[in-house]
Amino acid sequence: MALFMKVYVAEEAGFCFGVKRALNIINSLHEKGHEVQVYGQLIHNRSVLDDLKAKGIDCIDSIDQPDPKKTLIIRTHGIPKQVEANLKKNGVKYIDATCPLVKKLQETTEGLNTNTPNTQIVIVGDRNHPEIIAAKSYCPDAIVIDSEEEAHNMKSSDHIRVVVQTTSDVDFFEHIISILENKTENLHIQNTICSATKVRQEAIKKLAPRVDGVIVVGGKNSSNTKKLYNIALKKNKNTFHIEKSSDLNDAHFTGKLKEFKSIGITAGASTPPEEIKKIEKFLNNLTSNIEKETNHGRTERNAG
Ligand code: F3S
């Protein structure tokens, strides 16, 4: 058991600008007495979605028949072009809470449409993620590449034009680019990874090798959290992914954490600051409990 455990929070962690903006939109509508429903999961964080639900704000999976009494909010990850066109056609009133940087990805992707022959348009990212499904709808000819293997298997082209998911791993994207460089003489790259993603990845790269263990907080389905976890794991094998502070209430897990002299915390862009604070507090309490246990042990030995 380590005598003291120091707890460090990464310089950049938790809520990003796009998530804060979306929550501000929803909360201010709610406070003004509007009934609100969200298309898709607003963000990939269970505790935030539970809080919204407690206020009577539901996330709906289909917008074929939105409740006309409620204001429809578009999630941060955006929606496909055709779905938005249908909303407009059907006169559905909605507020777009798509992150402006995700919007920028959609516009950039649309701008890649070209009549130049023998041009391959590539979106690097997770093809099943709503952000990429929406981005691809702006350029149906684009192909999505999500692995080194897929990049290697891609056919060569006279021109290749590339964009990337806002939450991609910066190093992974650079690696994919190095593969694509061998597939064309004309590689046109638009790096659409957002700055919030970049700074969070840089911060955990610095912190992870300096501590004994790392806790990554965020939704299991959160793309940017999964990237943070993988980056931390490469630098520190004692890396754990939890969704919320209550996941720490596991005797086996805390037993392991007690072995560490230092722990680093990072959190995905949809993790609220209160959740990070709770985890920090839990770990600091663990430290004072260790001290108490140690002092108690000493007192008993002295008495004996
Ligand atoms: Fe937007 Fe980047 Fe956050 S794209 S939602 S600022 S992770």
Side-chain angles (χ1 to χ4, degrees):
M1 188 183 288
L3 270 182
F4 297 105
M5 183 203 290
K6 289 208 162 185
V7 181
Y8 302 92
V9 179
E11 275 169 20
E12 298 283 347
F15 270 5
C16 64
F17 138 82
V19 167
K20 283 187 205 159
R21 177 180 171 274
L23 286 169
N24 284 342
I25 292 173
I26 291 184
N27 286 328
S28 80
L29 284 169
H30 180 69
E31 279 156 22
K32 285 177 194 148
H34 292 272
E35 285 200 80
V36 177
Q37 60 187 349
V38 183
Y39 175 47
Q41 289 192 351
L42 177 75
I43 55 174
H44 288 150
N45 185 282
R46 223 171 354 126
S47 58
V48 173
L49 298 178
D50 287 347
D51 283 351
L52 292 179
K53 205 174 170 65
K55 292 179 185 167
I57 302 167
D58 279 323
C59 295
I60 54 169
D61 292 332
S62 160
I63 39 180
D64 291 344
Q65 290 176 316
D67 185 338
K69 295 191 293 303
K70 295 185 178 177
T71 308
L72 184 69
I73 307 286
I74 305 301
R75 63 188 169 207
T76 50
H77 305 116
I79 53 173
K81 190 176 181 180
Q82 197 51 46
V83 176
E84 188 161 5
N86 284 343
L87 288 178
K88 286 183 178 149
K89 194 175 88 192
N90 297 332
V92 176
K93 282 205 184 108
Y94 66 94
I95 293 180
D96 195 353
T98 305
C99 173
L101 301 174
V102 172
K103 265 284 181 240
K104 178 106 191 330
L105 167 66
Q106 293 173 353
E107 286 159 15
T108 308
T109 309
E110 189 163 40
L112 296 184
N113 284 307
T114 173
N115 292 325
T116 313
N118 207 10
T119 299
Q120 181 59 68
I121 296 159
V122 175
I123 304 172
V124 178
D126 175 356
R127 60 176 56 75
N128 298 315
H129 192 281
E131 178 189 340
I132 294 304
I133 293 170
K136 185 164 165 27
S137 71
Y138 283 83
C139 184
D141 290 339
I143 58 165
V144 179
I145 282 189
D146 194 17
S147 67
E148 186 180 336
E149 192 189 354
E150 287 174 359
H152 279 300
N153 291 342
M154 212 187 103
K155 277 203 230 133
S156 296
S157 252
D158 287 348
H159 302 266
I160 297 179
R161 314 181 88 190
V162 192
V163 287
V164 55
Q165 186 165 1
T166 56
T167 51
S168 270
D169 178 333
V170 172
D171 294 338
F172 169 74
F173 180 56
E174 280 172 10
H175 182 57
I176 295 293
I177 291 299
S178 70
I179 298 170
L180 298 187
E181 273 165 353
N182 297 318
K183 302 270 177 188
T184 185
E185 295 285 311
N186 300 293
L187 185 61
H188 175 77
I189 306 158
Q190 304 254 45
N191 187 340
T192 40
I193 298 176
C194 81
S195 52
T197 296
K198 286 181 197 157
V199 293
R200 278 158 187 69
Q201 291 182 3
E202 275 310 310
I204 193 56
K205 257 189 226 168
K206 267 202 271 170
L207 179 59
R210 295 185 191 159
V211 286
D212 293 339
V214 179
I215 291 180
V216 182
V217 199
K220 291 272 156 109
N221 56 350
S222 155
S223 167
N224 73 85
T225 307
K226 283 190 269 182
K227 303 290 176 338
L228 288 176
Y229 171 77
N230 288 328
I231 290 167
L233 188 64
K234 272 189 210 152
K235 304 270 177 195
N236 188 323
K237 65 178 176 24
N238 294 318
T239 295
F240 309 93
H241 181 177
I242 63 170
E243 289 209 299
K244 51 187 171 28
S245 50
S246 56
D247 292 348
L248 291 171
N249 293 328
D250 174 309
H252 178 70
F253 189 29
T254 47
K256 199 167 174 51
L257 296 180
K258 281 180 180 175
E259 300 295 324
F260 301 145
K261 289 198 184 106
S262 55
I263 295 194
I265 305 171
T266 184
S270 43
T271 303
E274 314 86 72
E275 206 56 40
I276 301 174
K277 284 256 171 306
K278 277 190 212 164
I279 290 163
E280 210 182 339
K281 194 170 165 205
F282 181 98
L283 294 173
N284 283 324
N285 284 344
L286 209 59
T287 302
S288 48
N289 288 343
I290 294 169
E291 277 181 64
K292 275 185 209 146
E293 282 169 33
T294 311
N295 289 336
H296 182 67
R298 272 197 206 120
T299 314
E300 281 194 338
R301 273 200 304 281
N302 291 343

